[in-house]
Amino acid sequence: MLEFDDAQSRLAAAGTPPNITETCPLHQAHGRVLAQTLYATLDLPPADNSAMDGYAIRHADYTAGQALPVQQRCYAGVAPEALQTGKTIRLFTGSLIPPGADTVVMQEDGTETDNALLINQLPAKGSHIRYQGEDVTKGDQLFPMGTLLGAAELALLASQGYAELTVYPRLKVGLLTTGDELVTPGQPRQDEHIFNSNAPMLAALASNMSAEVVHVLHAADTAEALDSAFKTLLQDCDLVLTVGGVSVGEKDLVKPAIEQLGGTMDLWRVRMKPGKPVALARIQGKPVVCLPGNPVSAYAVFTMLVTPLIRNMQGRAVVLPPVQYGRLQTVTPFNETREEFLRVQTQFNDEGLPHLTPYGQQGSGIISSLPWATGLARIPANTTVQGGAVVRYYDLKHWLS
Ligand code: AMP
Ligand code: MG
């Protein structure tokens, strides 16, 4: 049986990062991965500007009780005049600081009458100014190659005037569910049928990872159905994920179908629970990962073993997100011969380490544990872990993105 950590590193290395790049407009770059390291082309802010609605003054011009005539009303987006001695310029948040001015008086700290400002409360020299370059300095590295672009990254790149980015192509993923017992929600169901949970689950998991889900196919447990589905998937996708049909039962026909197509197949029993049977095949140079059929097992295996492969194939710099620590909250100890990944909820508190509460039922058939969980807590194999013990956990918001 393969150790979990070995399986994770083998899968992470089972694909190759993209070797082609493309140009993408900034507004379509959400979920794309940078294929170049980007640097600041501008200071940010590009010039000193006002942090407040108020008045620009030269601090030395202040005399108590003496009003300063308003020389100009300088709205954001308007070029300021040079400040004359003994005068003030009305400013608004984001207005440029006029040459000669060194301080902004908040409007709440002054009274404007007949186009002149009486300052009631003189701020310290230099107050309420956002200085050129205080946020970003021209030439700073913004993002290294391999950064996944989300809302925050796009905001910074837009502020730097980047209109187009060099990115990697979106990873094309194809999904194949298998099993004669499965029906699609919306179709009639007999007692002997169950609804197909893995198809929408895996499609959502893959698109949350910013992959493009090109096909979601289902094949009955026949050699012909599997063969035809594989051909479509291999033609259109970079990575194929199958689910179910990969054990050693009579209807487990995925392995023969892969071999029939000239694929090589490593079937592993991974020392993890839920999970265990996971296969990595390669057909026509493309990786195919075969996941266990139980939705809970498929979810755990996807999270722990498939996401590193996807990130690597996307060209992302960070393939393994951080592993965190928390304190297990349980009255019954856990002890398994495999690494166990419990569906847990994380509670943050003042104590330091978060508390990890396992879902009441941890069976691999318990789909209701999935929407409940915020993380997977890792119980080491052959170790009795009591309540209060510190264990590793994998935060789903990091691991599933
Ligand atoms: P298998 O490996 O094909 O024997 O599947 C293992 C278990 O997972 C069986 O109980 C299947 O019915 C169940 N299963 C397989 N695929 C799905 C699916 N797409 N949705 C829900 N359950 C599934
Ligand atoms: Mg099956």
Side-chain angles (χ1 to χ4, degrees), residues 177-178 181-182 194-199 243-247 252 293-295:
T177 63
T178 65
E181 74 281 28
L182 294 170
I194 58 171
F195 287 119
N196 186 340
S197 294
N198 287 330
V243 58
V246 80
S247 309
D252 291 329
N294 276 311

Side-chain angles (χ1 to χ4, degrees), residues 63-145:
T63 310
Q66 193 175 308
L68 303 171
V70 177
Q71 173 190 332
Q72 184 196 6
R73 308 188 81 78
C74 183
Y75 299 99
V78 169
E81 298 166 4
L83 180 65
Q84 297 163 22
T85 307
K87 295 201 174 166
T88 183
I89 291 181
R90 175 70 164 127
L91 298 183
F92 301 88
T93 306
S95 300
L96 294 193
I97 303 298
D102 56 21
T103 302
V104 172
V105 180
M106 286 199 288
Q107 75 180 35
E108 294 85 336
D109 289 342
T111 317
E112 188 184 327
T113 345
D114 297 334
N115 217 32
L117 170 73
L118 187 65
I119 298 170
N120 307 320
Q121 175 80 47
L122 180 70
K125 186 175 171 184
S127 292
H128 310 309
I129 296 177
R130 303 191 287 216
Y131 288 98
Q132 174 173 349
E134 71 177 20
D135 181 2
V136 175
T137 306
K138 183 175 175 176
D140 281 354
Q141 181 180 300
L142 297 175
F143 301 109
M145 192 160 93

Side-chain angles (χ1 to χ4, degrees), residues 324-330 342-359 372-379 386-395:
Q324 289 159 293
Y325 289 85
R327 208 174 279 289
L328 195 66
Q329 305 296 298
T330 179
L342 304 174
R343 269 73 63 224
V344 298
Q345 267 186 5
T346 315
Q347 278 98 26
F348 293 91
N349 53 65
D350 296 338
E351 191 213 314
L353 283 179
H355 286 179
L356 307 173
T357 307
Y359 194 67
W372 183 88
T374 61
L376 298 175
R378 177 170 175 178
I379 308 294
Q386 314 271 2
V390 175
V391 296
R392 282 174 281 189
Y393 80 96
Y394 300 76
D395 191 321

